[in-house]
Amino acid sequence: ARTAIASFSLPRAKARIERAKKRRADPGVDEVAELDAAAAATASFANETSQLGDGRPLSTVRFSTPDDGSMILSASWGGVARLWRSDGCEKILTIRAHENRCTGADFHP
């Protein structure tokens, strides 16, 4: 299966990289203007966040593995990490983990 995936994916990746190199070398392409246009097109998008998890978007959610997921760990862009009981989503602990975004959290084995 991996050989089939590689034979399908690698030629397409090679072609995509070659197109990107040609485009980057073209002096007529204004990448900054294209990025600004993409940002303007998505300005009206809204992040859907969990009212239960945090007021800011959740960046990570992990289930504890040694005990079959009895606890949930969440981290958010608000810099907060929370520990929950998965049965009933009862909040056990809240930690201010970072001054800005908390982009990852995990259980220690």
Side-chain angles (χ1 to χ4, degrees), residues 69-72 83-92:
S70 68
M71 291 189 294
I72 302 169
L83 188 62
W84 309 80
R85 278 196 181 83
S86 59
D87 184 25
C89 287
E90 179 186 346
K91 193 184 321 178
I92 301 169

Side-chain angles (χ1 to χ4, degrees), residues 15-94:
R16 187 173 54 248
I17 290 169
E18 288 173 358
R19 283 193 309 272
K21 285 180 180 179
K22 285 180 186 176
R23 190 171 173 284
R24 183 161 285 169
D26 184 357
V29 175
D30 186 358
E31 290 184 32
V32 174
E34 289 179 0
L35 290 172
D36 288 342
T42 60
S44 65
F45 289 5
N47 284 324
E48 295 293 328
T49 63
S50 168
Q51 293 298 319
L52 183 65
D54 197 82
R56 301 280 320 268
L58 295 177
S59 57
T60 302
V61 176
R62 298 278 189 254
F63 289 86
S64 58
T65 52
D67 55 2
D68 298 326
S70 68
M71 291 189 294
I72 302 169
L73 176 64
S74 67
S76 74
W77 283 10
V80 176
R82 289 190 170 92
L83 188 62
W84 309 80
R85 278 196 181 83
S86 59
D87 184 25
C89 287
E90 179 186 346
K91 193 184 321 178
I92 301 169
L93 179 67
T94 300

